[in-house]
Amino acid sequence: MHLLTFLPLLYHVGILTLAYTQTSNFTSSATSAGKVCILQNSFEPGFIAEGDYIIAGIFPLHYNQEMPDLNCTYKPPPVKCNGFDPRAFRWAQTMRLAVEEVNQNLELLPNYTLGYKIFDSCAYPLTGQRAAMAVLNGMSEDDSPMCSGASPLLAVIGESGSAQSIVVSRILQPFRIPMISYFSSCACFTDRTKYPTFFRVIPNDDYQVKAIAQLLVRFNWTWVGVVRGDHEYGRFAVQGLMRELQGTSVCVAYQEMIPLLYNQQRVMRRSLARVVVVFSAEGEMTPFLRDYMKQNITGIQWVASEAWVTASVFTGKEYYPYLGGTVGFGIRKGYISRLSNYLETVNPQRYPNNMLVKELWEALYGCSPSLSSASQLPSCSGQESPLKQHSAYLNTSSPRVAYNVYKAVYAIAHSLHNLLMCQPGSGPFKNQSCAQSDNVLPWQIQYYLQEVKFIIAGEEVNFDLKGDSIPYYDIINWQRGTSGNIEFVNVGLFDGTKPAGEELVIQEDMTMWAGDQSEVPVSVCSASCLPGSRKAVRRGEPVCCFDCVPCDNDSIECTFCPEDFWSNKDRTACISKKVEFLAYDSLGIALTVTSVVGACLTIVVLAVFFYHRNTAIVRINNSELSFFILFALTLCFLCSLVFIGEPTFWSCMLRHTVFSITFSLCISCILGKTLVVLAAFTATRPGENIMKWLGPKQQRAIIFSCTLVQVVICGAWLIDAHPYPSRNTKYERSKIILECSVGSSLAFWCVLGYIGLQACLCFVLAFLARKLPGNFNEAKFITFSMLIFCAVWLAFIPAYISSPGNYADAVESFAILASSFGLLFCLFAPKCYIILLKPEKNTKQHLMGKEKK
C-alpha cells in the first residue's frame, strides 16, 4: 500500500504518521534532519513483560466499538472499545501463565526467557490493525529516536476472528513475522501464497463444515437456515458448507448475513426451517440474539460454529428458552493445571494501574475498585472473592480456546528451543548454518514452527504444510444447569483423522434439543412421503420442497417390486402376486362335471346303439358312421378337461391340437353321413347307382382325408410355433395369470377356420336334403346340429378375445361342451327316443314312410 494512501488509515487508528519536511504538505514537528517517525497517539499494551525474546498476543478483550467522527477537519480520536469480555481476558491470562511456565522450565529454553506484549483488538479488523501496528512499534512515545530498527518481535499469538487475523497477517507479512492463531478457522488461510506466515492451533473450517454437513444429514434436517457474520470467516464457512451439502438431501432455506451495523432480521419468523446454522463470533451474535429474543421466536434448533458454541456470555438463564438445546462443534478441550489459581491472583490490588483489570472487576462485581469520580459504579476494595456466576472468567474445568493459546505459546517455545539447540555445520539455513542466538530473526522461527512436534497434556501438537493442526472437535450441547443457567455438555466428537463415515460420533440419549425436548426436532420443507407415494418436485422450488402423489407403475421415483411381486394395499411392501388359472374351483369343477357327464351320456348312447345295432333305425342311419361320431364326441367332451388345471408344457401342446383333431373327426363323420343321405335320396334315373361311389370304404376315406388335413395343420403348428405356458402380468398387474400362449395366432385361427369350413359345408348339404321324403329324415337333424354348432363357435370368437386370462380357457371349454351337447342331442336324442320309448316305430316301413294307412 502506498504511504500516502495509508496515512489517513493510520490517523484513524491513532498510532503514527510520517512527516516529510521536504516533500509533504502535512503539518509536522519534524526537524531539519529529514524525516522523523513521530508517535501521534499512544496505544499501550494491556500487559507487558521483559525477556530475551519477545512474543506478542492480540486478544478481543472488548467486543464492541465506538467509531470516531471522520470529518477530516481535525485529527480523529482513537476508536473507543466497549463491552469488556472476561472470556477473552482469560485467554490473555493463559498466555501470561504459559510464558511464566516456560521461563520456569529448566529443560525448555534454559538460560533464556520469553517476554510478551498483549494488546486488545476489540474484535474488529480496524482495531486489530491498530494492535498489529502497536506490536510492531513497540516503544513508548517518550523513547527516541523512533523507527531506527525493527522491533525485537519473534512471533504473534492471535487473532481471534478470521477477519482480524487476515488484517494482522497481512501487516506482519512484510516483516516475515510468524503468527499463530488460536481461534481463526477460516479455510482461506490454507492459501500459502496469501498467508505464508500463518499458523493455527484450531482446525481448518473445511473440517468444521464437513462435520456440520454430516450432522444435518445424520438427523435428516433437510430444510435449514444459514446465518453468518459479515466477514471472511462467515463467507468462506458458508461456501464450504454449500459445497459439502451438494449431493445430499439437505437444502438451504435462506442465507442471512449479520451486518456490522445491525438493524433487524425478519427471515427466521417466516421460514419453515427449524434448524439454523450460524457462523459468527459472539460479538456479532449479541445484537442479533437480542433482536431474536425481542421478537420472541422460539423452537429454533441452533447449530453453532466453534466461534460461539462455548461463548459464556450467553450462559445466563434468560437465554435458555431461546438457545437451550443448541448443538455445535467446539474446539478440543484440554487441561491447564495452574490456570484456576493463576486467574485468582489477578486483581486490582496487585495491578492497581491496569485499566483492563479494573474493567474486569466492574464486569464481574458491578463495582469500581478505583476511587475515580468518573465511575458511575459503587466502589469496592478489589479483594472480593470469586463467585460461581463468574464462570465466563473463572471456568477452567474444560478450557478450549484458552488451551489453544496455551499450545501456541509452547509451540513457539519449542521452536525457539530447537533453534537454539542447533549445532553449527548441521543447521537448516545457508551453508548448513544456524541462527544466531543474539539475533534471531522471525523467519528463522517460522522454519522451526513448520517442523515442530511436541506433546502437551497427552496431545501431539504439530503443523502441516498449510499451517493447520489436527482436525478434532468436541460436540457441545447447551443444557439447563441446576441454577437454570446454560451449561456446556460434551455429547460426542468429530475426529477428522478417522476414515470417511466414521468421523462423527454423537450420544443421542445424552442430547437435549430445542424446546427442552429429548426427541430430535424435525426441519423439513415438505414432510416425508408416506410409503406408497412418491415425490413430485414443485416447479421453481428446491428439491426438498415437494408434493406427495401416489405411486403408479410409471413412476421412476418409486421402488418397483420384482416381477412376481406387487405392492400391498398401503403400498408399503412387496407381496407375492396372486397366481390365477382355470383351477379346480367352483368354475373348474362345474366344467369338469359337465365334461364327464357329457362323455358318460355319449357312452350310454353308444351302448344303446350297439345293443340295438340290428334294428332298423340304427342300420338305416349308417351304424358305422354313428359309432364314429359317438366316439369322436366322447373325445370332444373329454378334451375340455385339458383346459382345466395349471398350464404345463404338455397340456398346452394338447389343448388345441386334441380339440381340433377330435372336432374335425366328428364333423368329418357328420359330413360323410350327410353326403350318404343326400346321395341316397337324389338318385332319380333308373339304373343309376350313385351309392356305389359312397360305400363304406369311400366313407372312411372321406373321414380320413378330412381329418388328415387338420392333423397336418396341427403338425405344422407344433413344429413351427407350438403353444407354450406363459405368465400374463399385463391384464392385471397385481395378478399373474397362467395361460397357454397359442404360439402362432395364424395356426390357431387356421385350425378353427378349418373346423368352421367343415361345419358350413355340412350345414349347406344338410339344408339341401332337409325336405327329402321319409318319416326319419336325418338331414333335418344334421341341419339343426350344424346350426347350433356354428352359432356356438361364432359367439365364441368375440367372447374368447374379450375374456381375460383363465376366463378365456373357461369360454373355450364352454364352447367345446356346448357344441358337443348340441351335436349329441340333435343327432342322437330323436333316435334314442324311438329306440327306447317308441319301439313300434323302429321299422323300415315306418322310417321310409311306406306304412299302410
Side-chain angles (χ1 to χ4, degrees), residues 289-503:
L289 287 177
R290 285 174 182 166
D291 181 34
Y292 169 78
M293 294 165 65
K294 183 179 179 181
Q295 296 187 43
N296 196 29
I297 304 173
T298 57
I300 296 295
Q301 175 62 54
W302 299 94
V303 178
S305 67
E306 93 294 330
W308 67 281
V309 73
T310 55
S312 53
V313 69
F314 303 130
T315 57
K317 60 178 65 177
E318 69 275 11
Y319 287 100
Y320 186 80
Y322 305 96
L323 299 180
T326 295
V327 174
F329 293 87
I331 303 164
R332 185 175 186 175
K333 69 179 179 180
Y335 177 69
I336 306 174
S337 58
R338 294 177 51 194
L339 181 58
S340 179
N341 293 332
Y342 187 83
L343 294 178
E344 293 180 5
T345 64
V346 179
N347 55 61
Q349 190 174 24
R350 183 172 181 180
Y351 302 97
N353 299 321
N354 192 297
M355 293 300 298
L356 293 175
V357 177
K358 175 179 176 292
E359 288 188 69
L360 170 69
W361 230 247
E362 291 177 352
L364 295 182
Y365 298 98
C367 65
S368 174
S370 172
L371 297 178
S372 172
S373 58
S375 176
Q376 303 296 322
L377 298 174
S379 61
C380 52
S381 64
Q383 299 178 354
E384 285 73 16
S385 301
L387 302 175
K388 289 184 179 180
Q389 61 264 34
H390 300 155
S391 59
Y393 174 62
L394 295 174
N395 183 9
T396 59
S397 59
S398 56
R400 300 179 187 277
V401 182
Y403 181 59
N404 280 354
V405 175
Y406 193 72
K407 289 190 293 185
V409 173
Y410 271 89
I412 295 173
H414 279 278
S415 300
L416 183 57
H417 178 85
N418 295 339
L419 180 148
L420 296 174
M421 293 296 106
C422 176
Q423 298 298 320
S426 59
F429 306 121
K430 187 176 180 180
N431 299 325
Q432 297 183 328
S433 62
C434 297
Q436 300 177 11
S437 60
D438 58 346
N439 188 28
V440 177
L441 300 177
W443 64 267
Q444 295 171 327
I445 284 291
Q446 178 175 346
Y447 173 85
Y448 281 95
L449 272 174
Q450 190 67 69
E451 303 296 326
V452 74
K453 181 180 293 186
F454 62 97
I455 295 177
I456 183 170
E459 177 188 352
E460 182 180 284
V461 179
N462 64 316
F463 302 100
D464 62 17
L465 294 177
K466 296 180 180 179
D468 289 333
S469 57
I470 297 173
Y472 189 100
Y473 295 97
D474 289 333
I475 301 178
I476 308 300
N477 183 217
W478 290 21
Q479 300 184 9
R480 187 194 299 271
T482 54
S483 59
N485 63 322
I486 292 177
E487 292 183 355
F488 304 138
V489 179
N490 194 336
V491 295
L493 59 89
F494 179 88
D495 188 350
T497 62
K498 293 289 184 67
E502 300 179 11
E503 304 101 324

Side-chain angles (χ1 to χ4, degrees), residues 530-759:
L530 295 175
S533 59
R534 66 179 179 88
K535 298 177 181 178
V537 179
R538 299 171 186 167
R539 186 182 299 274
E541 296 188 34
V543 294
C544 298
C545 299
F546 50 83
D547 296 317
C548 295
V549 297
C551 280
D552 54 55
N553 296 292
D554 296 327
S555 300
I556 60 173
E557 298 176 25
C558 292
T559 302
F560 284 105
C561 291
E563 183 179 4
D564 292 345
F565 291 82
W566 189 249
S567 59
N568 60 3
K569 183 179 180 181
D570 297 328
R571 301 186 180 187
T572 57
C574 291
I575 57 176
S576 297
K577 289 182 178 179
K578 183 180 179 181
V579 179
E580 286 190 355
F581 54 88
L582 186 56
Y584 288 98
D585 51 14
S586 57
L587 179 60
I589 292 173
L591 292 173
T592 302
V593 171
T594 305
S595 175
V596 173
V597 169
C600 291
L601 285 175
T602 306
I603 293 172
V604 169
V605 172
L606 180 62
V608 170
F609 265 58
F610 182 79
Y611 183 77
H612 297 89
R613 62 186 177 276
N614 295 320
T615 61
I617 196 168
V618 176
R619 296 182 65 184
I620 288 177
N621 287 285
N622 198 329
S623 60
E624 183 178 356
L625 287 181
S626 296
F627 290 142
F628 269 123
I629 292 172
L630 288 170
F631 172 72
L633 281 175
T634 303
L635 294 180
C636 288
F637 278 115
L638 294 178
C639 78
S640 66
L641 297 176
V642 187
F643 289 83
I644 305 172
E646 182 177 351
T648 63
F649 176 79
W650 289 109
S651 68
C652 289
M653 296 274 282
L654 292 173
R655 280 185 181 185
H656 298 99
T657 54
V658 171
F659 145 71
S660 59
I661 291 173
T662 56
F663 262 88
S664 184
L665 173 62
C666 182
I667 301 300
S668 297
C669 293
I670 297 173
L671 179 61
K673 178 175 282 195
T674 305
L675 289 172
V676 170
V677 171
L678 188 61
F681 287 96
T682 54
T684 56
R685 286 181 293 179
E688 185 178 9
N689 190 6
I690 195 173
M691 289 301 297
K692 69 179 181 180
W693 301 105
L694 290 173
K697 291 184 179 179
Q698 286 78 12
Q699 294 173 21
R700 296 189 193 103
I702 291 172
I703 295 170
F704 177 77
S705 302
C706 293
T707 307
L708 181 62
V709 173
Q710 188 73 290
V711 171
V712 170
I713 296 174
C714 289
W717 183 8
L718 295 178
I719 292 172
D720 180 59
H722 60 79
Y724 58 90
S726 65
R727 302 161 66 87
N728 187 344
T729 59
K730 295 181 179 179
Y731 177 76
E732 191 171 352
R733 295 185 182 274
S734 61
K735 296 179 181 179
I736 300 176
I737 299 175
L738 301 182
E739 60 184 10
C740 286
S741 176
V742 295
S744 172
S745 298
L746 177 62
F748 175 71
W749 292 110
C750 283
V751 163
L752 293 182
Y754 182 71
I755 296 174
L757 178 63
Q758 287 181 298

